[in-house]
Amino acid sequence: MPLMVEGKHMGVPPASMGEFMERFPHYKENSQKYLEQKCRSIVPIGLLYVGQREMAATTPDDEMIQMMGTEDATTCHMAILRHTGSGAVCLCHFDSCGTETGCKKMLGLVKELSKDKLPGRMELHLFGGFRDDKGTSEGLSIKLLTAFNNLPEEIHLQTACITDINNTKKGSTNFPVIYGIVIHLNSGEIQKATFLDRGPDQPIRSARHFTGSEEIINIYDHKKGVLSIGPFNYSTMDEIDLLCRLPDQFIREHLSTSPEQEPAHFEDAVRAALVQIRDHPKPLQTVFKEGKPRQYKLEANGAWTRCN
């Protein structure tokens, strides 16, 4: 079934953001409430953070998770799929890899969590991207709209704060307005957000997508309440020792799709991933011992404790 826009089928997906905004101008108006929000700093208590090429899903019945969030989206897009009856939510951080499969997985997870619950409908919220010079954001926007439009379920596109709509100028340079979002499970409220803590194993998780693994992985077992990382492999790099010693300016200019727009911690995060690759070139042997995932449970104080 095609995506639903104000109760009607969207029809053929737009070929550009210009066409999207011309056909559906209300999305720009609806996005103003998010664009004008003050960015909220989120403490880790009750938070499940989702990184690039990751997704997670749960419901308001989750005993420990009250919020899900993600950030650092420049050309990346952040998608929230929510069932209005069950309150089940899936959050995914897309970066052009695995888009179609990722959208299918999101729908499957929310449907599973909504079985035997109150009737309702699927609602989709999209954020991220900006008017970048290479058109990477626009390409991902169209890919996502097309992929969700091809799913066999009515999905109501509630928010599309993407690319041109999420764009602002600083001087002559374009920047995204919203880099991160959080959704509160009980209310379904979505806010512009940044995060004080992003959970465990960030260098390991970053190394996976940094070296080219295109799969979008589900990191949360909602039945057990467990954050599960891996097992997965990643490829090493030539001259990894040299890469680990690169100056910040080189990392920003050459290892980002949008150097000027990256947040201040970009270099530190990339360097941590590079060190991870250098120190653990065979993660299936040294990180995921005996082929087992690294599993964590969230404590009441917001700390993740290893449980395997």
Side-chain angles (χ1 to χ4, degrees), residues 6 24-36 160 165:
E6 294 189 315
F24 312 115
H26 68 280
Y27 284 115
K28 184 174 183 179
E29 300 166 14
N30 294 350
S31 295
Q32 290 306 308
K33 64 180 180 181
Y34 299 111
L35 297 170
E36 294 170 2
I165 298 173

Side-chain angles (χ1 to χ4, degrees), residues 9-209:
H9 293 162
M10 183 176 75
V12 177
S16 67
M17 277 302 297
E19 180 187 340
F20 176 81
M21 295 169 69
E22 183 178 343
R23 286 170 59 186
F24 312 115
H26 68 280
Y27 284 115
K28 184 174 183 179
E29 300 166 14
N30 294 350
S31 295
Q32 290 306 308
K33 64 180 180 181
Y34 299 111
L35 297 170
E36 294 170 2
Q37 279 181 356
K38 182 178 179 181
C39 187
R40 182 179 175 190
S41 184
I42 305 296
V43 298
I45 296 173
L47 171 70
L48 175 58
Y49 184 87
V50 176
Q52 188 172 338
R53 288 187 210 168
E54 294 179 348
M55 67 173 61
T58 191
T59 72
D61 296 331
D62 197 307
E63 294 182 358
M64 296 308 300
I65 305 300
Q66 288 93 49
M67 299 174 288
M68 290 198 295
T70 188
E71 68 171 334
D72 289 354
T74 52
T75 56
C76 290
H77 285 37
M78 303 164 285
I80 292 172
L81 186 63
R82 182 176 183 269
H83 189 268
T84 59
S86 66
V89 171
C90 183
L91 171 65
C92 185
H93 189 128
F94 288 96
D95 68 354
S96 293
C97 292
T99 305
E100 291 185 8
T101 303
C103 294
K104 290 177 183 176
K105 284 184 178 179
M106 289 185 75
L107 177 60
L109 285 167
V110 176
K111 286 180 69 175
E112 179 187 348
L113 288 168
S114 302
K115 286 181 180 178
D116 305 319
K117 301 289 185 178
L118 293 172
R121 70 182 195 176
M122 296 282 185
E123 293 187 345
L124 177 64
H125 304 267
L126 298 176
F127 298 86
F130 69 106
R131 202 177 295 134
D132 63 283
D133 293 338
K134 297 178 182 178
T136 304
S137 299
E138 180 177 39
L140 181 52
S141 291
I142 301 306
K143 279 178 70 174
L144 281 169
L145 291 169
T146 302
F148 278 112
N149 194 56
N150 289 336
L151 293 178
E153 190 90 14
E154 270 193 4
I155 297 176
H156 295 257
L157 182 61
Q158 297 297 104
T159 308
C161 187
I162 49 178
T163 306
D164 294 55
I165 298 173
N166 190 43
N167 191 79
T168 189
K169 274 189 175 291
K170 297 179 182 179
S172 60
T173 305
N174 293 313
F175 285 83
V177 178
I178 297 175
Y179 281 82
I181 54 171
V182 66
I183 180 166
H184 301 264
L185 297 179
N186 281 330
S187 64
E189 181 185 7
I190 301 168
Q191 294 176 310
K192 187 196 306 185
T194 188
F195 301 88
L196 301 177
D197 185 89
R198 302 180 179 199
D201 289 342
Q202 281 298 320
I204 300 172
R205 294 156 72 177
S206 296
R208 184 186 69 88
H209 69 75

Side-chain angles (χ1 to χ4, degrees), residues 170-286:
K170 297 179 182 179
S172 60
T173 305
N174 293 313
F175 285 83
V177 178
I178 297 175
Y179 281 82
I181 54 171
V182 66
I183 180 166
H184 301 264
L185 297 179
N186 281 330
S187 64
E189 181 185 7
I190 301 168
Q191 294 176 310
K192 187 196 306 185
T194 188
F195 301 88
L196 301 177
D197 185 89
R198 302 180 179 199
D201 289 342
Q202 281 298 320
I204 300 172
R205 294 156 72 177
S206 296
R208 184 186 69 88
H209 69 75
F210 195 77
T211 58
S213 175
E214 296 191 356
E215 183 185 5
I216 298 174
I217 59 173
N218 177 19
I219 61 169
Y220 188 65
D221 186 333
H222 57 270
K223 294 178 181 177
K224 298 179 180 178
V226 170
L227 174 65
S228 188
I229 306 301
F232 52 73
N233 202 6
Y234 50 71
S235 58
T236 187
M237 298 177 175
D238 295 334
E239 300 181 345
I240 186 66
D241 288 326
L242 174 62
L243 291 172
C244 289
R245 298 194 300 270
L246 289 173
D248 286 356
Q249 183 178 357
F250 187 95
I251 288 177
R252 180 170 287 266
E253 288 182 2
H254 296 279
L255 300 181
S256 168
T257 58
S258 48
E260 290 185 83
Q261 291 78 14
E262 295 289 0
H265 57 259
F266 174 77
E267 293 89 345
D268 289 340
V270 169
R271 188 171 285 106
L274 291 171
V275 170
Q276 172 71 33
I277 296 165
R278 182 196 66 190
D279 294 349
H280 297 276
K282 297 181 180 180
L284 292 176
Q285 296 178 19
T286 61

